[in-house]
Amino acid sequence: MNLFQVLNGVTFAALLFIVASGFTLIFGLLRIVNLAHGALYLLGGYFGYSIASWSGSFAIGIAGAMAGIAIFGLLLEGGLLRFVRGHELRQVLLTVGVAFVINDMALVVWGGDSFTVPIPDFLMGAVQIGPVFYPKYRVFVFGAGVLVFVLLWLLMNKTRLGVMIRAGVDDAEMVEACGINIRKIYLWTFLLGAALAGLGGVIGGAFLSLYPSADAEILVFSLAVVIIGGRGSLPGAAIGALLVGLLNSIGQVMFPELAYFVIFGPMAALLAFRPLGLFGKTA
Amino acid sequence: MLEVRDLHSYYGDAHVLHGTSLEVSPGEIVALLGRNGMGKTTLIRSIMGLTPPTVRSGEVKWKGETITGLKPHEIASKKIAIVPQGRRLFSSLTVTEHLTMLKSPRVKEGWTIERVFDAFKRLGERRNHRGNQLSGGERGMLAVARALMQDPELILMDEPSEGLAPVMVQRLEEVIIDLGKTGLGILLVEQNLYSALDAASRVYIMETGKVVHSGTTAALKADMSTVERWLGVHGG
Ligand SMILES: Nc1ncnc2c1ncn2[C@@H]1O[C@H](COP(=O)(O)OP(=O)(O)OP(=O)(O)O)[C@@H](O)[C@H]1O
Ligand SMILES: [Mg+2]
């Protein structure tokens, strides 16, 4: 492992955090394992690709994808998921079904080719970090991950909405009995989680590229991050993302045939000792 | 003010409340007594709209309006608050967050965070502790304070003194009596007969989902055979 590969692991971790933070929020509060989260990521990437190509602006691509996926999330939660609330198996099956539908629709609209979201000129090229020249865009991805972490931390700890979300992760029924309409909190959380998947899609789509099965890959990584970090925990998602990102680099470099095992082996070992993940709490 | 009429509640097919009726007037402290598993918590949850249980017949009226079938948050917004059995604090929220979540610190009407910390000095000292870092007594106080932040006209308290040391039971009893004097209605579920009798003016006793005795506290104190029959350890 050299510095370049470590940096790759860390920047991949930043992307994973962006995607998995939304996943863990939804999982923690709504108790939904949203298996359409990867599809929202991919759709966000395609939205971002089309909007950025059409407008010539990466920033507009990001904003458009986040808004589009947020609206999509709103329809998914308010229009479908709320009818199966409390039925875990039905929720899982419903989100899998939605993932398939999104995938097929994307295939119809964008075809099977792979795309890369166009990035602005100032993010092209490399910067020198110690002894290595490292792509500027990947440094930007790292910054974006840190920014998302800080903003989410502020939201969860300094705003009343965030405090309500945390309270809901602890005990949603009690939040409702205190006079708060938990349905609204669910909607906002789902919307936020979906927007983060969309953001991840654009950011990831500019260096991992977008193709029809990219959603399943990111979903598997996100699941590992959330399981390691613990349901509903932001610090857990950050540490889980770093672990998975670095293990992924190690796996690719040192044991290319066993790349998945290098991630899921340690995950299984960790779960044997901490079944709820590093920061997990009992319901 | 609160009227419960002939309520039948079920957990699935298990019929738990068999036509329960009771009333609480404004500013009145009413005790609801009964041995383990007689349906006290089921009644409190049914009033608050919490499911399970499901209410299959009967009604709950609040200020003349039927509230059966409303969602818990709708019932809470009509100024009915709950101190649930087991307290159910939010383990990742600080004391302050438990209170500010329910009312912005900028609102200066009714119960404010300053007023709560003034009434419960200990909570003020512990304001940055999380729900799961508090002692039993502090947890009991915080559960009451959380209900107060909703500026309720009625609080449903389900065994608020459960698991507390005798001095804390005493302290909580004083708090409840003081709150009663401010015109707040309280429906107080208790297993501890004596702490209930000190605070309440009227008493209901439940036995397997039915009210089997109702009357004033004074009358019950003079009638130990009723106490023995429905609450005594040897049973009826
Ligand atoms: N979630 C549930 N599902 C099925 N049955 C339940 C449930 N909760 C309570 N019961 C049953 O309903 C009956 C009444 O229970 P409830 O909790 O209302 O009693 P309680 O008077 O509050 O008792 P305690 O003093 O122990 O709190 C009991 O027989 C209990 O086993
Ligand atoms: Mg009970």
Side-chain angles (χ1 to χ4, degrees):
Chain A
M1 280 273 280
N2 57 32
L3 179 60
F4 194 84
Q5 288 148 356
V6 171
L7 288 173
N8 274 352
V10 172
T11 50
F12 183 51
L15 172 69
L16 281 182
F17 174 76
I18 294 173
V19 180
S21 59
F23 193 54
T24 202
L25 280 180
I26 292 172
F27 188 17
L29 179 65
L30 289 84
R31 311 280 155 120
I32 292 174
V33 182
N34 177 20
L35 294 180
H37 201 71
L40 293 178
Y41 162 92
L42 183 60
L43 193 64
Y46 282 135
F47 278 5
Y49 165 76
S50 294
I51 297 172
S53 307
W54 165 79
S55 67
S57 158
F58 186 61
I60 293 178
I62 286 183
M66 286 181 76
I69 300 301
I71 292 169
F72 207 91
L74 207 66
L75 296 177
L76 177 57
E77 211 289 319
L80 292 174
L81 281 169
R82 73 192 193 93
F83 297 110
V84 292
R85 184 163 333 284
H87 301 273
E88 279 177 23
L89 186 61
R90 288 184 210 175
Q91 290 174 349
V92 170
L93 291 176
L94 181 68
T95 59
V96 170
V98 169
F100 284 143
V101 172
I102 293 177
N103 245 305
D104 271 4
M105 300 305 286
L107 201 57
V108 170
V109 177
W110 286 277
D113 297 336
S114 70
F115 295 101
T116 306
V117 177
I119 55 172
D121 290 342
F122 74 93
L123 290 178
M124 293 195 199
V127 286
Q128 189 169 5
I129 300 177
V132 299
F133 283 92
Y134 199 70
K136 273 189 201 163
Y137 182 74
R138 281 203 168 237
V139 177
F140 161 79
V141 172
F142 179 75
V146 172
L147 183 68
V148 166
F149 180 84
V150 170
L151 290 178
L152 283 179
W153 189 89
L154 289 173
L155 172 75
M156 299 301 276
N157 291 285
K158 299 290 165 201
T159 70
R160 283 179 66 209
L161 175 65
V163 174
M164 286 175 198
I165 293 175
R166 279 163 51 217
V169 172
D170 288 343
D171 188 341
E173 183 185 70
M174 200 53 221
V175 171
E176 214 187 351
C178 287
I180 293 164
N181 186 353
I182 192 83
R183 289 254 337 116
K184 280 195 195 156
I185 311 286
Y186 285 159
L187 263 184
W188 278 111
T189 306
F190 206 89
L191 186 142
L192 175 67
L196 286 166
L199 174 66
V202 187
I203 289 183
F207 75 108
L208 300 176
S209 78
L210 303 160
Y211 45 89
S213 64
D215 62 324
E217 286 168 25
I218 203 85
L219 181 67
V220 167
F221 282 120
S222 301
L223 264 172
V225 168
V226 171
I227 290 170
I228 290 173
R231 184 175 58 82
S233 163
L234 279 184
I239 290 178
L242 264 178
L243 274 174
V244 172
L246 287 171
L247 287 172
N248 183 54
S249 274
I250 293 174
Q252 279 177 352
V253 176
M254 303 205 235
F255 316 96
E257 299 84 19
L258 297 173
Y260 266 154
F261 180 78
V262 173
I263 296 173
F264 291 97
M267 178 182 111
L270 179 110
L271 289 185
F273 294 101
R274 290 194 65 97
L276 297 169
L278 290 173
F279 290 75
K281 280 184 301 228
T282 46
Chain B
M1 184 165 64
L2 178 79
E3 270 176 81
V4 177
R5 277 248 179 79
D6 197 24
L7 214 57
H8 289 260
S9 291
Y10 292 72
Y11 292 103
D13 288 331
H15 192 173
V16 172
L17 294 188
H18 301 266
T20 315
S21 301
L22 58 74
E23 280 179 35
V24 182
S25 305
E28 196 185 20
I29 303 183
V30 176
L32 177 61
L33 307 176
R35 283 189 288 249
N36 278 332
M38 290 307 167
K40 305 178 298 292
T41 299
T42 307
L43 176 61
I44 296 287
R45 289 181 62 88
S46 302
I47 295 173
M48 199 67 214
L50 294 166
T51 52
T54 28
V55 176
R56 293 215 196 144
S57 71
E59 63 175 357
V60 179
K61 281 187 152 192
W62 170 244
K63 298 178 175 174
E65 176 197 356
T66 302
I67 58 170
T68 348
L70 294 187
K71 300 226 170 61
H73 74 92
E74 292 166 333
I75 293 175
S77 68
K78 295 184 185 297
K79 303 214 164 290
I80 301 179
I82 183 171
V83 176
Q85 184 157 26
R87 320 234 160 85
R88 312 237 331 237
L89 300 179
F90 304 112
S91 56
S92 57
L93 266 53
T94 63
V95 169
T96 305
E97 285 171 337
H98 273 88
L99 307 173
T100 53
M101 177 181 108
L102 298 172
K103 193 192 263 183
S104 158
R106 285 189 293 277
V107 178
K108 293 297 169 208
E109 287 143 39
W111 281 90
T112 58
I113 189 158
E114 293 83 15
R115 206 173 138 197
V116 165
F117 288 162
D118 197 47
F120 306 99
K121 297 272 186 303
R122 196 84 188 105
L123 289 182
E125 292 162 18
R126 299 257 164 172
R127 66 182 73 200
N128 293 321
H129 286 61
R130 292 182 193 278
N132 55 4
Q133 298 168 324
L134 300 176
S135 73
E138 292 157 359
R139 296 169 63 84
M141 296 299 167
L142 182 54
V144 173
R146 175 175 64 183
L148 289 174
M149 285 301 275
Q150 300 164 57
D151 295 322
E153 293 173 24
L154 174 72
I155 305 189
L156 311 170
M157 293 193 186
D158 198 347
E159 303 196 27
S161 61
E162 192 180 20
L164 295 188
V167 335
M168 284 317 298
V169 174
Q170 185 77 42
R171 169 85 179 91
L172 199 67
E173 193 186 302
E174 289 161 20
V175 167
I176 290 170
I177 293 171
D178 285 348
L179 289 175
K181 286 182 191 145
T182 66
L184 187 65
I186 297 175
L187 180 59
L188 176 64
V189 173
E190 269 299 347
Q191 289 220 12
N192 182 333
L193 174 68
Y194 297 99
S195 76
L197 292 188
D198 284 344
S201 57
R202 283 195 307 118
V203 181
Y204 291 96
I205 300 179
M206 272 182 96
E207 170 84 8
T208 49
K210 276 205 188 81
V211 170
V212 290
H213 170 93
S214 79
T216 62
T217 316
L220 187 66
K221 278 180 184 158
D223 178 10
M224 287 320 283
S225 68
T226 299
V227 170
E228 184 55 31
R229 178 162 177 218
W230 301 116
L231 304 171
V233 276
H234 306 299

